[in-house]
Every structure is written in structure tokens, then in C-alpha cells.
Amino acid sequence: MSICLTWYSHACILIETEGTKLLVDPFITGNPLAPVTAEDLDPDYIFVSHGHGDHVGDTVEIAKRTGATVVSNFEIHNWLAAQGVENGHPQHIGGGFDYPWGRVKLTIAHHGSALPDGSYGGNPCGFLFYIQGKKIYHACDTGLFYDMKLIGEEGIDLALLPIGDNFTMGPEDALRAVKLIEPKQVLPIHYDTFDVIQQDPAAWKALVEKETGAKVALLKPGESLEL
Ligand code: NI
Ligand code: MN
């Protein structure tokens, strides 16, 4: 069976694998590019990379309504529990866990993680998913870091990299990230949502495919790709 990955704009993706729905960073309400409403989503698991509002997003509402298990760092896990989210699974950077549908390891990310109410949100992370023999690296919000090379050594099938600049890597550093990770395929994310992160993804695709062996997938919000 294939894996279906849908991009809901910004850092929000839905991964569907063998009937299980995994939702990452569900920033839907207040997101001008979101092609769905939070009520449309019924994930089995939610992953929260860090505490910022454009990543925690609708996590509390969706988790309470669906009973989805929320995977995050320990600090965000405690904060979500205090908001009434009952099913949480805390992990932390460097740690992996085998879920019924596959494995997830939390990776480093260079960013902040304060929660919307100012609470301490621990350290931000990225996610490395191991599903059906495929490896998907979601960098989440981060600047460029050389240890991306270590992540790449695992053999990445698909890397999701921010290209928006200002809050995360921009196009030039994201190109350098592709060179460090050497994924088979890349999906640019975290751009065009706000005025300060407007980018030209087609130009970035052309540059990456000229300078690296990676294929760049470009999706419009709501579009999917199969792995
Ligand atoms: Ni952020
Ligand atoms: Mn962000």
C-alpha cells in the first residue's frame, strides 16, 4: 500500500497510511491558505513540533473532538494535558517510538517554542517518520544546521523543508539543506502564509533540480502526493 501525503499549507500535513491518519502541526483556523476547516479533520494522531501558534494551531480542539493521540515534546505534552487533552504521548529529541503504524523519532530544530499563553514549550523539534519502509523527514521550523547530514545518512525518501525565510530557512539555505540531506524528493513548506514569507517555489524547484539529484514536488494547499 502506498502512503498518501496531503499538504494543508504552512507546516501542516496529513499522512495517511493503511487507514491511519497522522496530522502534523494543524494550523488551520486563522491560516489564510488553509483549504479545509479544523472540523473537517479527524486524525488518529497529531504531531506538534513546537509551541508557536502557527503549529499548535487547532490541536486542542481536534484532539478533544476526535480523541486523537498527540505526540509532542514533554513540555508541550504537559501543557496540552492542562488544556484537557487526554491522549498524549510525550517523546523528546533523539528518542524514537514504535507505534502500531510505524516509528517516529524527534530530531533537533533550531528555533523557539514558547506556547501561545507564554508557557515554556521546551525545545522545538522536527520529525522523522519510518512508515512502510519509507523515511519522511519533516524539518518543521528551523534554520540550517550541519547535523542535517546525519539525518540524511538514514536515507530519506521525502524531506519537507521550510523555504519561507524570515522565521526559518530561506530558499538559499534550504538548497544547502537538500545538499546535506540528499533526499530522493523534497516538498517545500512554510511559505506564502504571511507577507514576510512570500517565495517563488517554482524558481526554487528549478534551482534544486539543477544543483542536486533531488526531485522537488510542488503542491497547492489541499493537494496530495503518493509515496
Ligand atoms: Ni515557529
Ligand atoms: Mn512557524
Side-chain angles (χ1 to χ4, degrees), residues 178 182-186 205 208-216:
V178 174
E182 300 185 333
K184 289 197 182 99
Q185 199 176 178
V186 193
K205 172 183 167 74
V208 170
E209 292 186 346
K210 185 170 139 254
E211 293 203 14
T212 78
K215 200 168 157 283
V216 178

Side-chain angles (χ1 to χ4, degrees), residues 10 25 49-55 111-114 124 140-142 167-168 190:
H10 213 54
D25 286 355
S49 67
H50 64 287
H52 293 164
D54 59 321
H55 296 261
H111 196 64
S113 186
C140 301
D141 282 10
T142 187
F167 298 116
T168 66
H190 211 278

Side-chain angles (χ1 to χ4, degrees), residues 1-2 54 59-60 63-64 69 78 82 92 98 108 138 152 205:
M1 253 183 102
S2 61
D54 59 321
T59 296
V60 172
K64 283 185 179 175
T69 299
N78 287 346
H92 234 305
D98 293 311
I108 62 170
H138 191 326
K205 172 183 167 74

Side-chain angles (χ1 to χ4, degrees), residues 133-152:
K134 303 277 189 200
K135 292 173 190 162
I136 303 170
Y137 169 50
H138 191 326
C140 301
D141 282 10
T142 187
L144 180 68
F145 55 92
Y146 195 71
D147 287 1
M148 284 179 173
K149 200 169 173 60
L150 293 174
I151 295 168

